[in-house]
Amino acid sequence: MSGICYVRGDATAPQGKGVKIIAHVCNDLGGWGKGFVVAVSRRWSEPEAAYRRWHRERAANDFGLGAVQFVQAEPPYTWVANMVGQRGMRTGSKGVPVRYDAIDTALEAVAVKAAELGASVHMPRIGCGLAGGKWSRIEPLIEERLVGRGIVVTVYDHD
């Protein structure tokens, strides 16, 4: 039995009370413009601006696979976690862009932040859209890193 709550809806409009972190996967090239990020940008401008700044200034920060940037989208209750969990943007000779180890590392950071804030975590099926990942590989990472620590997780399947 999964500890993840699955609902139909929009992950950018998370359900429930209290502090919420919306977690999603970004690429390591600084590209933002397809997939779930479009919905994020439609709702808030700061997560995209912060991600682009983070990438632009990467020589002086932690930007890279496995890193997470937390952006307060609607103070004080809604945060967006920009998780760098895919190498590039296209499927090619090196396979699909998803990097499961990077998502695992990023989820660890999300767990720490969620515990610190007393937050629940909300997400689409991360890593499974444009990144080309398999939910059967992602779900156990979420179970171990978040649910296993008592963090409430809701996964949204868009209508």
Side-chain angles (χ1 to χ4, degrees), residues 72-136:
Q72 213 166 8
E74 283 180 26
Y77 294 110
T78 307
W79 293 75
V80 172
N82 292 331
M83 305 187 305
V84 184
Q86 67 181 74
R87 162 114 28 231
M89 293 185 265
R90 292 193 165 76
T91 298
S93 61
K94 294 189 170 125
V96 294
V98 69
R99 293 296 179 264
Y100 298 108
D101 57 337
I103 291 173
D104 189 37
T105 300
L107 286 170
E108 176 70 26
V110 170
V112 169
K113 186 73 167 179
E116 175 189 309
L117 296 171
S120 55
V121 177
H122 304 260
M123 63 183 75
R125 290 189 188 238
I126 58 170
C128 296
L130 298 172
K134 294 186 180 346
W135 188 246
S136 62

Side-chain angles (χ1 to χ4, degrees), residues 26-34 37 47-58 63-65 69 84-89:
C26 303
N27 63 68
D28 65 349
L29 297 178
W32 181 292
K34 289 186 177 176
V37 298
E48 176 181 357
Y51 171 78
R52 291 187 184 280
R53 190 168 46 251
W54 187 33
H55 177 263
R56 193 172 49 251
E57 298 169 1
R58 66 192 176 280
F63 185 92
L65 286 171
Q69 178 190 52
V84 184
Q86 67 181 74
R87 162 114 28 231
M89 293 185 265

Side-chain angles (χ1 to χ4, degrees), residues 1-6 107 110-111 114 119 121 123 135 138-155:
M1 167 89 186
S2 171
I4 299 170
C5 177
Y6 290 90
L107 286 170
V110 170
V121 177
M123 63 183 75
W135 188 246
I138 302 279
E139 185 182 47
L141 303 177
I142 295 165
E143 292 277 356
E144 181 179 347
R145 297 289 173 213
L146 300 171
V147 177
R149 294 185 183 171
I151 296 165
V152 174
V153 177
T154 304
V155 171

